[in-house]
Amino acid sequence: MKQLGKSSKFEYTVEPFTEDFTGVLAWQELGKRILAAAGMHADSHGFGMKQLMPQNMAWVLSRMTISMNEMPKVNEKYAVDTWIRNIYRTFTDRCFAILRPDNTAYGYAYTTWALINMETRMPVNLENLPDGGFAKWIDDEKICQVSDNSRIRVKESEPSRVITAYYSDIDINCHVNSIRYIEHMLDLFPQEQYTGHPLANLEIAYHGEALYGDSLALYKQCVSPGVWDVEVRMQPREDETGREKKICSCRMTFK
Amino acid sequence: MKQLGKSSKFEYTVEPFTEDFTGVLAWQELGKRILAAAGMHADSHGFGMKQLMPQNMAWVLSRMTISMNEMPKVNEKYAVDTWIRNIYRTFTDRCFAILRPDNTAYGYAYTTWALINMETRMPVNLENLPDGGFAKWIDDEKICQVSDNSRIRVKESEPSRVITAYYSDIDINCHVNSIRYIEHMLDLFPQEQYTGHPLANLEIAYHGEALYGDSLALYKQCVSPGVWDVEVRMQPREDETGREKKICSCRMTFK
């Protein structure tokens, strides 16, 4: 058996029906691969859902930035390589390289996660885990180049679209799944946007959780040419009063 | 190199984020795998898009039936095996078995395709292809058990929902992709439908093509307990007058 390294690499082909209309891997498909790679790496290294669920703990994605110089085209091969970058109190950063078969990078992703206690919904201090937790797997040398740390603030008060969370939107935890927000955000832009100026950079921050049947308003605002901030706000539920609640916000930078 | 057989088998794992909220492979993910398997089998056997695109011809999916006794769960392995069942004038039938690692079947799929000339949009007679075409790959003995051939007719005149075709809906041919219709149809049913009574059988017939920006009305009608017929009708475009046009119709049978 191969010795377990700090990083894990998962190899794929862009299968037909996972590309967008321009013929490259769709962002939401890449997003699913990235989160699946995180899960599989954590499971194989002893700190995944497999080990944590029985302890009533779960990983929650807090932020994700994906920077792509190029996207693999349909039928092309690519790999997702992932490793832990660091651990700081209640957060840990995990990196990803999206690689060509010759190991040059299509792009990178950078994610921030919290481990929560499912009963209290409170974050666990990752520096105090038994036996040093998963600190031994940290690799702080591998390259992960993303453009990050924008301050996203949408002032727009007229939603571009209001959607309802349906069956296809919800994940195994019965929340709207993290990638599905990205899909709905991509759908705010017209077809011609993607022809000449594909998306190059996406930064998303998750603030809250929506459930089946929730009403989600999407707001978008142009920050500078080719740069858009998008916010998803949940409208008050039937039994609630009050204001919309911010669920996630995203900066999308087109080429 | 392994000798090319009549069928091709593609192996997968149900990766996290490809399951639905009940923890099994989502129907739309299975649908993508089925159509991808068709494409990869046809390419490797000399009659796929790779060979046909330069000749200005393309395969068009006309009907698809998927019958599943059970769905693989997240992290479980499954395989999609596919072969050509027969050829009759302008149509060919292609079968699929969705298999467990021990080769017992989770379920089957049966599809009907036409080959069209991209310029004239007319179907090609598949019995008159040069050198006998792909008839040598026919396997009419392998088992493919689906419940099929329902007469789907939706009389309902009030749509359950009207949607617009956005970026995520369209495929590389700039049409709303065949699987996306299924996703929108699944979304017509409430979350609780899927908990106790998952979908077991889906028959879909494609009648027309919708483009980016088209307005699609979804109608559903209960045929008998647990059996629903759904129809997608395209509303007249801005420059058009007249009635709605039937795009696809589907029978969904829940357990």
Side-chain angles (χ1 to χ4, degrees):
Chain A
M1 203 173 152
K2 217 178 127 192
Q3 210 193 333
L4 201 60
K6 286 182 178 174
S7 64
S8 296
K9 191 169 158 181
F10 303 94
E11 293 175 0
Y12 300 105
T13 300
V14 183
E15 288 199 356
F17 296 89
T18 62
E19 80 276 27
D20 76 358
F21 81 93
T22 70
V24 301
L25 179 62
W27 278 76
Q28 59 269 39
E29 297 292 339
L30 175 62
K32 284 188 239 175
R33 294 293 201 201
I34 285 173
L35 297 192
M40 294 186 291
H41 174 270
D43 276 345
S44 63
H45 287 69
F47 57 99
M49 295 306 248
K50 224 182 246 180
Q51 295 88 12
L52 295 170
M53 284 279 273
Q55 299 178 58
N56 246 322
M57 293 194 285
W59 286 112
V60 174
L61 179 62
S62 168
R63 295 182 62 87
M64 172 163 64
T65 302
I66 308 176
S67 298
M68 298 298 287
N69 292 315
E70 197 190 350
M71 274 284 192
K73 293 181 193 65
V74 64
N75 294 321
E76 284 183 350
K77 287 181 191 302
Y78 69 103
V80 178
D81 193 20
T82 182
W83 64 97
I84 295 292
R85 166 65 89 227
N86 55 29
I87 297 172
Y88 47 106
R89 299 215 306 184
T90 57
F91 289 106
T92 177
D93 290 340
R94 171 186 283 283
C95 295
F96 302 83
I98 295 92
L99 302 169
R100 295 185 186 84
D102 68 1
N103 274 325
T104 57
Y106 279 115
Y108 298 93
Y110 199 98
T111 55
T112 302
W113 303 74
L115 183 64
I116 61 156
N117 179 306
M118 303 267 270
E119 274 167 37
T120 62
R121 307 297 293 176
M122 291 295 289
V124 175
N125 189 324
L126 301 172
E127 291 170 357
N128 295 342
L129 292 175
D131 305 323
F134 56 97
K136 60 175 175 274
W137 300 117
I138 290 177
D139 186 330
D140 51 13
E141 289 181 358
K142 278 184 90 151
I143 294 170
C144 182
Q145 283 177 307
V146 294
S147 313
D148 196 14
N149 285 317
S150 304
R151 185 163 173 76
I152 304 162
R153 192 187 284 172
V154 177
K155 288 179 196 158
E156 181 59 50
S157 59
E158 274 301 308
S160 296
R161 188 171 305 147
V162 180
I163 59 168
T164 305
Y166 293 124
Y167 165 71
S168 303
D169 291 306
I170 54 172
D171 65 16
I172 200 164
N173 301 311
C174 293
H175 297 135
V176 174
N177 97 50
S178 319
I179 300 304
R180 198 69 176 187
Y181 289 113
I182 296 175
E183 197 169 314
H184 290 303
M185 287 172 173
L186 292 168
D187 282 346
L188 295 178
F189 298 88
Q191 182 178 8
E192 53 270 26
Q193 174 68 58
Y194 296 95
T195 331
H197 303 281
L199 188 63
N201 202 74
L202 179 150
E203 281 180 69
I204 185 163
Y206 298 96
H207 310 288
E209 287 162 336
L211 304 175
Y212 178 88
D214 279 338
S215 191
L216 301 168
L218 290 99
Y219 298 83
K220 78 174 202 265
Q221 186 172 305
C222 188
V223 178
S224 60
V227 183
W228 291 82
D229 282 356
V230 179
E231 213 164 85
V232 180
R233 301 180 202 148
M234 186 163 75
Q235 300 188 322
R237 297 191 179 125
E238 262 185 35
D239 53 345
E240 290 175 346
T241 51
R243 295 154 59 115
E244 290 185 331
K245 193 178 147 193
K246 188 154 86 170
I247 296 294
C248 61
S249 48
C250 182
R251 175 158 293 178
M252 300 169 93
T253 308
F254 295 90
K255 265 191 188 151
Chain B
M1 203 173 151
K2 214 177 129 193
Q3 210 193 331
L4 201 61
K6 287 182 177 175
S7 65
S8 295
K9 190 170 160 182
F10 304 94
E11 292 176 0
Y12 301 105
T13 299
V14 183
E15 289 199 355
F17 296 90
T18 62
E19 80 276 25
D20 76 358
F21 81 93
T22 69
V24 301
L25 179 63
W27 277 76
Q28 60 268 39
E29 298 291 339
L30 175 62
K32 286 188 237 176
R33 294 295 199 199
I34 285 173
L35 297 192
M40 294 186 290
H41 173 272
D43 276 346
S44 64
H45 287 69
F47 58 98
M49 295 309 249
K50 224 181 243 179
Q51 295 88 11
L52 295 170
M53 285 280 273
Q55 298 177 60
N56 246 321
M57 293 193 285
W59 286 111
V60 173
L61 180 62
S62 168
R63 296 182 61 88
M64 173 162 64
T65 301
I66 308 176
S67 298
M68 298 298 286
N69 292 317
E70 196 190 351
M71 273 284 192
K73 294 181 191 66
V74 64
N75 294 321
E76 284 183 348
K77 288 183 191 303
Y78 69 103
V80 178
D81 192 20
T82 182
W83 65 97
I84 295 291
R85 165 65 88 227
N86 54 29
I87 298 172
Y88 46 106
R89 299 214 307 181
T90 58
F91 289 106
T92 176
D93 290 340
R94 172 186 282 285
C95 294
F96 303 82
I98 295 90
L99 301 169
R100 295 185 185 84
D102 67 1
N103 273 326
T104 57
Y106 280 114
Y108 297 92
Y110 199 97
T111 55
T112 302
W113 303 75
L115 183 64
I116 62 157
N117 179 307
M118 304 267 270
E119 275 167 36
T120 62
R121 308 295 292 174
M122 291 296 288
V124 174
N125 188 325
L126 300 172
E127 293 171 357
N128 296 340
L129 291 175
D131 305 323
F134 55 97
K136 62 174 172 274
W137 300 117
I138 290 177
D139 186 330
D140 50 13
E141 289 182 358
K142 278 184 90 152
I143 294 169
C144 182
Q145 285 178 307
V146 294
S147 313
D148 196 13
N149 284 316
S150 306
R151 185 163 173 77
I152 304 162
R153 190 187 285 171
V154 177
K155 289 180 196 157
E156 181 59 52
S157 59
E158 273 302 306
S160 295
R161 189 171 304 146
V162 179
I163 58 168
T164 305
Y166 292 124
Y167 164 72
S168 303
D169 291 307
I170 55 172
D171 65 15
I172 200 163
N173 300 311
C174 293
H175 297 135
V176 173
N177 96 52
S178 320
I179 300 304
R180 199 69 175 188
Y181 290 113
I182 296 175
E183 196 168 317
H184 290 304
M185 288 173 173
L186 292 168
D187 282 347
L188 294 179
F189 298 89
Q191 182 178 5
E192 54 270 26
Q193 173 68 57
Y194 296 96
T195 331
H197 303 280
L199 188 63
N201 202 75
L202 180 150
E203 281 180 69
I204 185 164
Y206 299 95
H207 311 289
E209 288 163 336
L211 303 175
Y212 178 89
D214 279 338
S215 191
L216 302 169
L218 290 100
Y219 299 82
K220 78 174 201 265
Q221 186 173 307
C222 187
V223 178
S224 60
V227 182
W228 290 82
D229 282 355
V230 179
E231 211 164 87
V232 180
R233 302 180 201 147
M234 186 163 75
Q235 300 187 321
R237 296 188 180 129
E238 261 183 34
D239 54 346
E240 289 175 347
T241 51
R243 294 155 60 113
E244 289 185 333
K245 193 178 146 192
K246 189 154 85 170
I247 295 295
C248 60
S249 48
C250 183
R251 173 158 296 179
M252 301 169 93
T253 308
F254 295 90
K255 264 189 186 151

